[in-house]
Amino acid sequence: MIKQEAFGVEPWGLPETALDLDVLAQSESVFALANGHIGWRGTLDEGEPHGLPGSYLNGFYEARPLPYAEPEYGLPESGQTIINVTNGKLIRLFVDDEPFDVRYGQLRSHQRRLDFRAGVLTRQADWVSRAGAQARISSTRLVSFTQRAVAAIYYEVEPLDGQRRIVVQSELLANEQLPGSDGDPRRAAVLKNVLQSEHTTAQDSTVLAVHKTAVSGLRIGAAMDHLVDAPTSVLVESHAHGNGGMVTASCVLTPGQRLTMTKFVAYGWSGERTVDAISAQVIAGLTGAKQSGWDGLLAEQRAYLDDFWGRADVAIDGDEEVQQAVRFALFHVLQAGARAESRAIPAKGLTGPGYDGHAFWDTETFVLPILTVTAPEAAASALRWRHSTLPTARQRAKQLGFEGAAFPWRTISGAECSGYWPAGLAAFHINADIADAAARYVEMTGDEQFEQHEGMDLLTDTARLWRSLGHHDAPGRFHIDGVTGPDEYSAIADNNVYTNLMAQQNLIAAADAAEKYPDRARELGISPEESADWRDAASAMVIPYDEALGVHSQAEAFTRHQVWDFEHTPADDYPLMLSHPYVDLYRKQVVKQADLVLAMHTRGDAFTAEEKSRNFDYYEALTVRDSSLSACTQSVIATEVGQLDLAFDYLGEAALMDLLDLEHNTRDGVHIASLAGTWIALVSGFGGLRHRAKIVTFRPRLPEGIARLAFNIEVRGRRLQVEVTRSTARYLLAKGDPLEIVHYDKSLKLTAGQQQQRSIAPIPPRQRPQQPAGREPAHRRNGTSAS
């Protein structure tokens, strides 16, 4: 676990006051910089020591075979793994011929800070070599939001105790040595030396390297150029080698004199363009970066983020840790998707190789709700990527014997990369999750062009899948059998409530779109009979309910299963999937992550308030949260049913998932969906935000640990500011045409510049529900977590 005392708590940044080599890999993930296209892990400038080196380009992968003990029809034959591409971060320092290495000599001080407003990672170190030479090293690193292909570093070194020969060596390096795998299935496959050199060159202070993958056939170009400045004569040399090249600057300095190196790096990749074309692309990127200059890149970065925070900031009074955490979360969510531009948003963003760099359903269910109301262009981009994979999804559906499109459980390019049938390939709910994200985007943005084209394509093909996957029985009920819902400890279940409710919504949305756009419906071959059939299936959808217990059964017969023996399960056995066979998990009442409870959030209209309370209490006693996706959902519904203290506890878990390394795998990258869940727990939970049929509603309520919550959202071109205290809610339309909202079932019409205030009635206390033994969330009091 990351030692929290190493991180300071401040509202607009994450400072590290000391370097702890035991948690180097975790801090590399936390300090990663990205823009949705390029990802640079927060490794030290000199490259060593490192926990897990990583430089990534979104969508750039190598294919690998997926071995099976026995071949089965329909299983994918190959997987895709994100590649550690050419490292452009490396800047090595030599002081009187001795390499700067924090493991040797004396590190007198070391500070790093991730700045959420400036969008940079800064570092300063005072170091004494084994020979006694003293030097101060500082660097500032950025991955540009405005120039998609560009990253840059400003590096400065100063001797502190006398005349010293300073040599700074900047490098491009492909095929870095990576640590081996430890067998954790959440981690990436380790592929070694996958980049084959096609062209390298060095001239003056510029190095260019082009490589190609052997199997996927993707080509990558990386180039770097430098500006070197010092008060004395500097010798600059460069040379290339098979895996890249380096630029070396050497001079003699005395105390008070500094050598500065500005390093510009550009990346590009393609599966089609030639070596010459890729080379031209990255050289053009370098030219644009040099034209802006270091100060220009900083100014562009700050202006971009000023605009983002003006739309997206969440302010909290009463909990400094959560205040820092939600801005940390928003910053990383933005980094994951801002410039993805028709590429996926992976589960780890571009901060690490966890899950092989794959995108899952969490993008649409947890990440896009934020981006839709804070950075809608990024949400549209992610949905257009899904749309671009429709041909592959249609082929997959046909292979499985279904109509429409079957989107992959995990993928980089759009092809299915999950070789596990029960918990992956049977999780068809991803199709409804994508449809839900598309419909939500249209509702909140009013983007009719998207609705009529990409949106309608997605709704149509997913509706066709549900109609062919499900069936009517004799009484006329519509069943969807043999699927896996969000809870991966229950597989091949009949009538999973979450899946069925989301499919129901999907079918109705597709039928509504066909009615709204008849010309497009004819183009897509949607007959009136097919549309009516979708509505019939939706109205007859089976939603299991256990009359004896008075709760919804997560899936058919789930509540008849034996309850897991939580009392005799040691703490070290969690997560259960790493210590118990699935054959045991599948036949017990034990929930990995919110499933039925998630249905109450995404389809809250399908449950009464009383049903929500009873369901929540029942599933609290079964949910072990072996997934980072669970705590935020449990927080939202805990708030809705009046369990505010418990909701606050779950908020803390979601918010600090990576800052405290709660799941012990932050080393492989931050949890983008859990970070998004911080915003969801605050805005959808304590802010009470819901939207359905173009109506935005709020049912705000704060726990004791938060005195004030303020946030912004964008609704169809309007900017709405919401401020909540324990007794009142204030709504201000900052810009845009009048907007109608609902506060606790009462309609309000807002006009720009006029604030409206409404009261929040107190609620009676309720008995806190029980969690499985040893799986209670840490109690959060006065802004801190306490066991």
Side-chain angles (χ1 to χ4, degrees):
M1 183 178 293
I2 291 179
K3 299 175 183 177
Q4 181 65 9
E5 60 265 24
F7 291 140
V9 177
E10 57 178 71
W12 284 104
L14 181 68
E16 180 189 59
T17 55
L19 186 65
D20 186 346
L21 298 184
D22 291 336
V23 293
L24 199 54
Q26 292 93 322
S27 63
E28 289 166 357
S29 298
V30 167
F31 285 134
L33 294 176
N35 63 7
H37 175 59
I38 300 169
W40 270 4
R41 279 175 63 82
T43 47
L44 303 178
D45 301 299
E46 56 274 16
E48 298 178 19
H50 59 241
L52 187 63
S55 303
Y56 310 106
L57 292 182
N58 196 345
F60 194 84
Y61 68 92
E62 179 61 305
R64 60 185 176 87
L66 290 175
Y68 302 101
E70 297 181 7
E72 296 179 25
Y73 177 80
L75 291 177
E77 296 180 358
S78 65
Q80 300 168 351
T81 296
I82 193 171
I83 293 173
N84 178 33
V85 299
T86 313
N87 185 357
K89 295 172 287 183
L90 287 170
I91 300 180
R92 307 184 198 274
L93 168 65
F94 301 86
V95 180
D96 285 349
D97 298 328
E98 188 157 1
F100 170 47
D101 188 317
V102 297
R103 296 168 294 187
Y104 306 109
Q106 181 185 359
L107 190 64
R108 288 184 171 175
S109 66
H110 192 278
Q111 298 90 34
R112 288 187 289 180
R113 183 177 184 272
L114 183 64
D115 189 317
F116 308 148
R117 286 188 289 193
V120 298
L121 175 67
T122 58
R123 178 193 186 197
Q124 181 168 305
D126 281 6
W127 176 72
V128 181
S129 74
R130 288 179 294 188
Q134 299 178 32
R136 175 167 294 154
I137 304 99
S138 62
S139 68
T140 303
R141 179 187 299 180
L142 69 79
V143 173
S144 176
F145 285 115
T146 58
Q147 299 190 39
R148 180 173 179 258
V150 170
I153 302 172
Y154 184 83
Y155 191 89
E156 185 175 74
V157 58
E158 174 189 358
L160 298 179
D161 64 332
Q163 180 172 289
R164 302 293 180 187
R165 182 169 299 280
I166 304 297
V167 178
V168 175
Q169 192 173 75
S170 174
E171 190 169 2
L172 277 182
L173 179 63
N175 296 315
E176 290 178 282
Q177 184 175 347
L178 299 174
S181 174
D182 64 358
D184 187 332
R186 297 168 294 182
R187 292 186 179 161
V190 178
L191 303 180
K192 299 179 180 179
N193 298 318
V194 296
L195 294 175
Q196 301 177 348
S197 179
E198 293 190 306
H199 174 71
T200 58
T201 184
Q203 183 176 5
D204 300 326
S205 61
T206 303
V207 174
L208 167 68
V210 180
H211 291 78
K212 189 175 184 180
T213 59
V215 181
S216 62
L218 303 180
R219 179 172 286 121
I220 175 180
M224 65 178 183
D225 202 351
H226 305 79
L227 299 175
V228 179
D229 185 49
T232 61
S233 175
V234 182
L235 175 65
V236 178
E237 296 181 336
S238 64
H239 77 272
H241 53 75
N243 277 326
M246 62 181 63
V247 171
T248 304
S250 177
C251 66
V252 177
L253 300 178
T254 59
Q257 296 180 324
R258 299 172 182 173
L259 170 69
T260 63
M261 174 182 280
T262 306
K263 179 176 186 176
F264 303 101
V265 184
Y267 290 96
W269 74 267
S270 173
E272 299 175 350
R273 292 197 298 277
T274 63
V275 171
D276 289 342
I278 288 291
S279 299
Q281 178 185 353
V282 295
I283 292 299
L286 276 185
T287 301
K290 290 190 295 181
Q291 182 184 32
S292 295
W294 175 252
D295 290 340
L297 287 175
L298 285 178
E300 291 172 16
Q301 192 86 333
R302 182 59 183 252
Y304 184 97
L305 285 165
D306 283 347
D307 178 65
F308 171 72
W309 289 117
R311 290 179 278 117
D313 187 32
V314 176
I316 298 164
D317 292 347
D319 193 319
E320 294 179 349
E321 276 189 351
V322 171
Q323 177 65 88
Q324 178 189 49
V326 70
R327 287 178 176 146
F328 171 80
L330 282 163
F331 182 69
H332 268 293
V333 168
L334 179 69
Q335 288 197 131
R339 302 300 304 273
E341 295 175 5
S342 299
R343 297 287 176 191
I345 298 179
K348 296 286 190 176
L350 297 173
T351 68
Y355 298 108
D356 288 301
H358 292 164
F360 295 77
W361 68 294
D362 18 347
T363 296
E364 284 77 16
T365 303
F366 295 91
V367 179
L368 293 197
I370 300 182
L371 293 179
T372 294
V373 296
T374 61
E377 68 287 347
S381 172
L383 289 166
R384 289 193 176 97
W385 167 73
R386 283 292 190 190
H387 181 266
S388 74
T389 68
L390 258 176
T392 304
R394 289 171 180 148
Q395 292 172 6
R396 179 63 177 163
K398 185 176 181 180
Q399 181 186 32
L400 296 176
F402 303 126
E403 297 177 5
F407 284 96
W409 180 240
R410 53 189 300 171
T411 190
I412 294 177
S413 71
E416 180 62 79
C417 294
S418 174
Y420 189 48
W421 163 248
L425 303 183
F428 288 100
H429 67 83
I430 187 173
N431 299 280
D433 301 327
I434 292 167
D436 177 57
R440 183 193 311 112
Y441 169 77
V442 170
E443 279 190 10
M444 298 302 284
T445 65
D447 188 343
E448 292 187 359
Q449 181 72 14
F450 177 91
E451 178 185 27
Q452 191 172 354
H453 295 91
E454 295 95 336
M456 194 163 170
D457 290 346
L458 291 169
L459 290 175
T460 299
D461 275 291
T462 48
R464 284 172 170 161
L465 174 80
W466 294 120
R467 184 58 191 87
S468 63
L469 181 63
H471 68 96
H472 289 279
D473 64 9
R477 301 183 306 167
F478 190 77
H479 300 260
I480 301 176
D481 296 334
V483 300
T484 300
D487 171 29
E488 295 166 11
Y489 288 170
S490 301
I492 316 300
D494 294 343
N495 295 316
N496 170 258
V497 170
Y498 176 85
T499 302
N500 283 19
L501 285 175
M502 295 298 286
Q504 180 186 61
Q505 175 180 269
N506 190 166
L507 289 161
I508 293 171
D512 288 347
E515 183 177 329
K516 183 176 181 179
Y517 299 109
D519 291 342
R520 275 246 64 205
R522 284 189 291 272
E523 182 183 328
L524 294 170
I526 306 171
S527 66
E529 292 77 16
E530 183 178 26
S531 181
D533 193 25
W534 292 343
R535 293 191 189 276
D536 288 343
S539 65
M541 190 71 69
V542 172
I543 308 299
Y545 186 80
D546 189 320
E547 296 286 353
L549 293 173
V551 299
H552 285 85
S553 182
Q554 179 174 288
E556 209 79 63
F558 176 82
T559 52
R560 295 204 304 269
H561 292 176
Q562 180 183 357
V563 175
W564 185 270
D565 186 1
F566 299 107
E567 292 292 337
H568 296 96
T569 302
D572 291 344
D573 278 9
Y574 294 98
L576 296 177
M577 77 274 195
L578 299 184
S579 56
H580 291 267
Y582 275 103
V583 69
D584 198 18
L585 295 168
Y586 288 160
R587 60 192 185 90
K588 301 286 179 61
Q589 287 192 66
V590 54
V591 179
K592 179 182 181 183
Q593 64 202 70
D595 188 313
L596 190 283
V597 173
L598 179 61
M600 295 194 298
H601 179 201
T602 59
R603 284 297 314 276
D605 58 306
F607 303 87
T608 68
E610 185 180 356
E611 286 172 343
K612 289 176 182 177
S613 293
R614 290 200 306 267
N615 287 338
F616 182 76
D617 287 355
Y618 185 85
Y619 286 95
E620 273 294 285
L622 303 175
T623 304
V624 295
R625 301 192 318 287
D626 281 349
S627 167
S628 63
L629 301 180
S630 195
C632 65
T633 299
Q634 288 171 270
S635 180
V636 169
I637 302 303
T639 300
E640 187 168 348
V641 301
Q643 294 286 354
L644 297 180
D645 286 345
L646 180 58
F648 191 38
D649 295 343
Y650 281 134
L651 164 65
E653 184 171 304
L656 300 173
M657 182 64 62
D658 291 307
L659 293 176
L660 293 181
D661 193 18
L662 296 179
E663 290 213 337
H664 313 293
N665 62 350
T666 298
R667 72 182 301 277
D668 303 310
V670 299
H671 299 76
I672 296 296
S674 182
L675 292 172
T678 309
W679 183 94
I680 290 171
L682 286 165
V683 175
S684 296
F686 298 135
L689 169 66
R690 301 287 189 277
H691 44 85
R692 184 73 56 185
K694 297 184 180 180
I695 300 297
V696 179
T697 69
F698 297 92
R699 301 179 69 88
R701 198 173 299 281
L702 296 185
E704 286 297 319
I706 297 178
R708 172 183 168 270
L709 169 67
F711 58 89
N712 304 325
I713 60 171
E714 299 269 330
V715 182
R716 294 186 290 281
R718 305 159 174 90
R719 182 169 300 175
L720 177 61
Q721 297 177 350
V722 181
E723 183 179 24
V724 182
T725 67
R726 296 198 190 101
S727 60
T728 61
R730 299 181 183 90
Y731 303 99
L732 173 65
L733 185 62
K735 70 172 186 178
D737 296 333
L739 175 67
E740 184 176 346
I741 66 168
V742 174
H743 170 85
Y744 278 99
D745 303 322
K746 293 185 178 180
S747 179
L748 300 177
K749 189 168 185 179
L750 304 177
T751 56
Q754 295 183 349
Q755 179 176 276
Q756 294 204 39
Q757 179 174 306
R758 292 294 183 273
S759 62
I760 300 172
I763 56 172
R766 292 185 60 229
Q767 183 177 354
R768 184 176 173 119
Q770 295 296 308
Q771 292 77 39
R775 303 304 288 171
E776 305 85 354
H779 292 304
R780 187 159 194 81
R781 297 293 178 268
N782 301 320
T784 60
S785 296
S787 300

